[in-house]
Amino acid sequence: MTPQYEYRYDALKDVSPELKYPMAKEVFPADQSLTKWPWTRDLVSVVLRIIANQAMQDISVRRGSACRLITFIRLYRILENPLYQSGLERVFNAINNLVRGLSNIFGNRAQSQNIKHDVKDEQHPEKVSARISAIAKDIQETAESREAREQTSLADYRDLFQIIYLPDISNHFLEDRAFAAQRVAGANPLVINRISELPDHFQVTDQQFKAVMGDSESLQAALNDGRVYLADYQILEEIDAGTVEVKDREIPKYRYAPLALFAIASGNCPGRLLQPIAIQCHQEAGSPIFTPPSLEADKEERLAWRMAKTVVQIADGNYHELISHLGRTHLWIEPIALGTYRRLGTEHPLGKLLLPHFEGTLFINNAAANSLIAPGGTVDKILFGTLKSSVQLSVKGAKGYPFSFNDSMLPQTFASRGVDDLQKLPDYPYRDDALLIWHAIHDWVEAYLQIYYKDDDAVLKDDILQDWLAELRAEDGGQMTEIGESTPEEPEPKIRTLDYLINATTLIIFTCSAQHASVNFPQASLMTFVPNMPLAGFNEGPTAEKASEADYFSLLPPLSLAEQQLDLGYTLGSVYYTQLGYYKANDVDLDDINDHTYFKDLQVKQALRDFQQRLEEIELIIQDRNETRPTYYDILLPSKIPQSTNI
């Protein structure tokens, strides 16, 4: 037992004193990813790009395109030159000196100097954290200080990207095809459910269905065939709409809880795609229902439909950040990590297996609690709810919404949502790639645990393992009440079978690695271009069949908030540290992994190699899939999945 990892239940007290959630009382240096040079190098590189990007915006406005082009070339050469990989401090200083020389917005910043020295100072890792925090604060303040134009356009949102690459979604986000694809291969491909009947408060007509799918189709037949899918964001009604200060003025944000209906065409063609049928922007029965415009529709009808889609994207972005990302990965993992550190450690075979999957998690969660989700932080500003109600929803997600621990096994969740049938829903890249990773992890975990547990009786008699479970469930421990196995004869939850232990361990490792990757990295590719997925709306949404451009742009965040969303999404979605399947101790860099053996037990060697080979095969399978499948999806390439939730 490692008792120094103590629980703290008031880590979110600055958000609300009523929010009680088990988090680490203290984060030790061994768990602080910022003390590790490769991780810090990548993070600083991202921060530098954001600083340079903002400077380029300033230059483009004040100095003209010629100066902008010359400056871009100079910055690009510095940022892309591999010769600087071994000398980050030179890159850091060179870019900051160049930025200061070209713009007045930064001034003299002592905190940006000598960062490499601080990284190597293992006795004071807080120095690096303080420097990065100071830079992040400067970035946010700079974004807030920008003057918003009276009349914005899509070009203004595109122009926020200078050094940072404009993501491809910016070219397609207005298409219905791209809108539907994000339900199955987007930042949050976790919401659609197959339905057999419409909700009473969302009465789409057969005529509306035929207008999209064709006269040969019928809504009832599609429902009977299992070809109709619903994205229902009713849970977001638990959030209270917030406000934000823009240009010294407090402005209201709008909360949405829409319903969006999708369908698949009949037939057996594997290329059949999800198509949007109808959107209702509110849960109240009788609310206007918006459908895709016909080819003859005028611009005003198309704008109303675009606004309805944007309302769904805003809701999806909030569901993503609060439930799928913060709640169901970061917060969900923390009490499991704490219990493992305390009760198992590296002397126990399960602890030995799990601990590398928690590296950096306590640090990044603590950093988030003190910055991103703190009052006045980025989440408070750019999401649509009050901070208190938003974080309350995240805690609800961590404690079991929409699935309890025992119901969260990936194949089971797909079946529960009715999206497991490849014939009914042929194009679902997240499902197909995630299952490959899940089964590979399951096979690895099974091979590993069978070395140490020969049967169910060996599992049940492992007192250390049972103490671990008891701590995860305890009121003064992890407070995870829906984990463990019970029987009518023996209602006390325990880990009773080897199969359950294998499944539970697979779920933990999958969540730490692949599941977090699936919701984290699309933040850079899909959420930085704000018109695709704003995190707050500033109008009540469409109310009539027609809308104007002014109506549409009034819905989008001001440019200063869009820039903060860009900065957040790019930072969190760009840092890759460690790789699934390659185990190491905390003090070993990934570059040296081949010279280091983490598992000393020789029995593990072949099982681990089989796992690594399987991941290599999956890499090729996904690459081949992307050559032919209609929706490209590379988020779950094994080479792009970190071992732990560390960013």
Side-chain angles (χ1 to χ4, degrees), residues 383-439:
L383 271 69
F384 62 39
T386 63
L387 183 63
K388 177 181 178 180
S389 62
S390 296
V391 179
Q392 281 177 330
L393 187 57
S394 292
V395 170
K396 182 172 184 175
K399 286 183 172 291
Y401 179 87
F403 297 109
S404 69
F405 183 96
N406 285 348
D407 293 332
S408 292
M409 310 304 158
L410 189 70
Q412 185 177 346
T413 64
F414 287 136
S416 298
R417 292 170 47 218
V419 295
D420 56 329
D421 191 322
L422 275 68
Q423 296 301 316
K424 290 184 169 63
L425 184 60
D427 183 47
Y428 194 174
Y430 163 77
R431 173 199 62 200
D432 300 337
D433 294 358
L435 283 172
L436 286 177
I437 304 296
W438 173 274
H439 291 306

Side-chain angles (χ1 to χ4, degrees), residues 51-65:
I51 293 174
N53 189 72
Q54 292 189 337
M56 289 293 290
Q57 291 175 37
D58 193 60
I59 294 162
S60 67
V61 171
R62 299 194 301 173
R63 303 200 178 198
S65 59

